[in-house]
Every structure is written in structure tokens, then in C-alpha cells.
Amino acid sequence: MLTSITQIKYNREGDLLFSVAKDTVTNVWYSVNGERLGTYNGHTGAVWCVDCDWDTKNVLTGSADNSCRLWDCQTGKQLALLNTNSAVRTCGFDFSGNIIMFSTDKQMGYQCFLNFFDLRDPQQIEDNQPYLSLPCNDHKITSAVWGPLGEFVIAGHENGEFNQFSAKSGEIIKKAKEHTKQINDIQTSVDLTMFVSASKDNSAKLFDSASLDHVKTFKTERPVNSAAISPTMDHVVMGGGQEAMEVTTTSTRIGKFEARFFHAAYEEEFGRVKGHFGPINCVAFHPDGKSYSSGGEDGYTRIHYFDPQYFDFELEA
């Protein structure tokens, strides 16, 4: 039985692709041929998020089993277990790989928290005491990424709002609200100066990471579950579809769920790629910009290589 993919993530070189799903296993694949390199076993609930550090040494996962776990990438050994009171929704390494952040869900009477640990201090891990734990009283965090230089985390909330949380002081540096509904995904550009957000309000938007200025909007007819910025072209790919529970009410023509490509400057859609049998939950560009991957509700991770025309393509202005 295949379970729906919740997140996929390339490492910095792009030779490895990590995937997590609503089963308990974190998989790592060779991106070049789709061969499975191995698994990280230990979680006992759906795994919501995964990240890999800059030099592909460690892997971080967050799960509905109320834990965030740190793994040795090469051996699959669990290095740390951080228990929480509710599901871990987002997680990430800062640029140095020394600081991790993760956010927990608001559920079962528990608050949503954004937690920061310094991996250089074994005491924090041992005592399960983050050096910073920020409560988000109003609206839970649904997606979060590190900003440039590891100074702050950009968090997207269920009401469509963004906050920059300082990783030093914990204060909110900047706020923005351009979306009307939940932020499903945030992904940064390679140099971390921009990020693209995917929202339930049927749009994806491009922002400046430092100022939170809203730069571009990409509109569709259905909720956007994930969006990613190409490292080499002015392109954004997004994936979506209906909510998983609403899918059965529509016709399921073969593999009709499409990834959609937009030009980042002109905000125009210029291509679609079919293939998934259910909504696309996550998309990611390969760091070399020559391929992209998508993970779906259907349990498949599909790696697509661009054909030569893609690289010569110019949008007629």
C-alpha cells in the first residue's frame, strides 16, 4: 500500500533526494536513477517534513509521532530524538548546519511552538531544552524556512500570514499578509534572497526574503500545495489539486494531476506536466536546474528531466 508523499528535498549537490510520507519511513534515493540508497527508521507516525544539511552529513525529520529526529545521513543511525507535545509540522537546518528549527502543531490542547536547538551544545539535546521556544498563540505555523545567513526563520501561518522570527532573540522582525488562506509551502531561491509561497487561496506568490516585499503572483483555479523556484531559469513550478478528501468526488482520468510552470517575471503559465494520479503535495527543482521532482498523494515521487527546448525557451513579451 502506497502512502501519500508529504515532502521531498534534494541535498545541496542534488545527487540525493529525500522523501517522507504518511508512513513512518524516511527514504533517500539516488536522484540520477531513482535507486533507493536507504531508509531512516524510527518514527512511529506520519512524517511531515525532512531536511538535509549543507554538507549532507545529517538529516532532520519531523513526525506526527510527536518527535523531531536527527539522523546520520550516511549510516541511517539516529543521532538525536527530541520529543514534543504535538506533531512536528516543519523542520530545517540553518546554513551552517549547527542550528535546527522545527515547529509543532496546535493540537490536543497544546500550543503551536517554534523551537530552536544548537546542535553544538549536547546538553540542549540531552535535556530536550531548546535555547529558544516561541509560542504562536493565534495561528499555527503550517510552513517555515530559514532566511539568509541563519538570522531568522520565515514562517507561514494557517491564516495566510508570514512572520520573520529572529533566531537570536525570538522577536518578530517583520510581518506580511498577502494570502487570504493557509500557507501550504514555502521554498527559497538558491541564494535565499527570495522565497515562493504556495497557498490554499489558489495562488503562489514570490517575496523578498529580507523585506517580505511581495513581488509576483501566480494564479491558478485550485489550491496550491507546493511551489519551487528554479535555480537557473526565471521559472516557478507549482503542484496542487483538490484536498485529498475531495478527490473522490471528481473524475480520476489517468494521471491528470499536473505540475504547472510559470515564468517568474511575466507571471505567465507556459507549461504543464501530467502524470500523478492524485494531487501533487510537493515539488522541488534539482539544484542544477535540469530536472525537477514531484511527490503526490498517489504515493509516487516522479523525477522529470527537461528536454533541450526547455532551456532555449523564451516567453514572447
Side-chain angles (χ1 to χ4, degrees), residues 68-287:
C68 184
R69 296 176 196 233
L70 184 71
W71 313 84
D72 182 306
C73 182
Q74 203 174 354
T75 62
K77 185 170 163 265
Q78 183 177 304
L79 302 175
L81 163 62
L82 302 165
N83 285 305
T84 55
N85 289 323
S86 54
V88 177
R89 180 65 52 178
T90 65
C91 66
F93 288 98
D94 79 332
F95 201 65
S96 69
N98 292 325
I99 314 277
I100 60 167
M101 66 87 185
F102 62 87
S103 73
T104 58
D105 273 353
K106 182 174 171 177
Q107 67 194 96
M108 300 182 299
Y110 289 103
Q111 219 30 5
C112 161
F113 282 97
L114 180 60
N115 294 315
F116 293 86
F117 283 85
D118 190 328
L119 299 178
R120 292 165 296 191
D121 178 5
Q123 209 55 50
Q124 288 181 24
I125 307 295
E126 215 171 298
D127 304 343
N128 198 9
Q129 272 307 109
Y131 75 83
L132 209 53
S133 187
L134 314 174
C136 303
N137 305 345
D138 304 330
H139 301 279
K140 80 163 190 178
I141 294 173
T142 47
S143 185
V145 291
W146 279 94
L149 302 173
E151 286 171 4
F152 55 82
V153 163
I154 301 161
H157 299 257
E158 61 184 345
N159 64 337
E161 169 172 80
F162 293 106
N163 285 308
Q164 285 177 349
F165 293 100
S166 164
K168 311 268 187 299
S169 66
E171 67 192 339
I172 293 176
I173 304 169
K174 284 200 167 69
K175 285 186 170 191
K177 190 171 188 305
E178 296 289 342
H179 285 290
T180 54
K181 289 184 181 163
Q182 172 173 311
I183 309 296
N184 288 329
D185 187 30
I186 301 175
Q187 292 193 38
T188 48
S189 58
V190 167
D191 61 5
L192 303 183
T193 57
M194 316 275 281
F195 68 89
V196 65
S197 58
S199 170
K200 219 171 173 170
D201 68 8
N202 299 6
S203 74
K205 291 176 190 278
L206 196 64
F207 291 85
D208 180 281
S209 299
S211 64
L212 289 190
D213 287 340
H214 169 223
V215 191
K216 300 284 175 187
T217 299
F218 314 100
K219 292 190 177 72
T220 66
E221 311 75 59
R222 31 177 86 105
V224 186
N225 293 338
S226 184
I229 303 170
S230 166
T232 53
M233 312 280 279
D234 289 331
H235 295 166
V236 167
V237 63
M238 44 211 256
Q242 308 100 313
E243 290 281 303
M245 58 190 181
E246 292 160 17
V247 170
T248 47
T249 60
T250 54
S251 75
T252 53
R253 280 204 319 284
I254 303 304
K256 75 174 175 70
F257 290 90
E258 299 160 322
R260 309 169 67 152
F261 286 81
F262 282 76
H263 193 286
Y266 302 124
E267 304 176 321
E268 297 255 348
E269 185 179 351
F270 65 85
R272 295 188 181 190
V273 178
K274 287 187 174 63
H276 281 284
F277 297 92
I280 296 173
N281 290 339
C282 45
V283 288
F285 271 103
H286 189 290

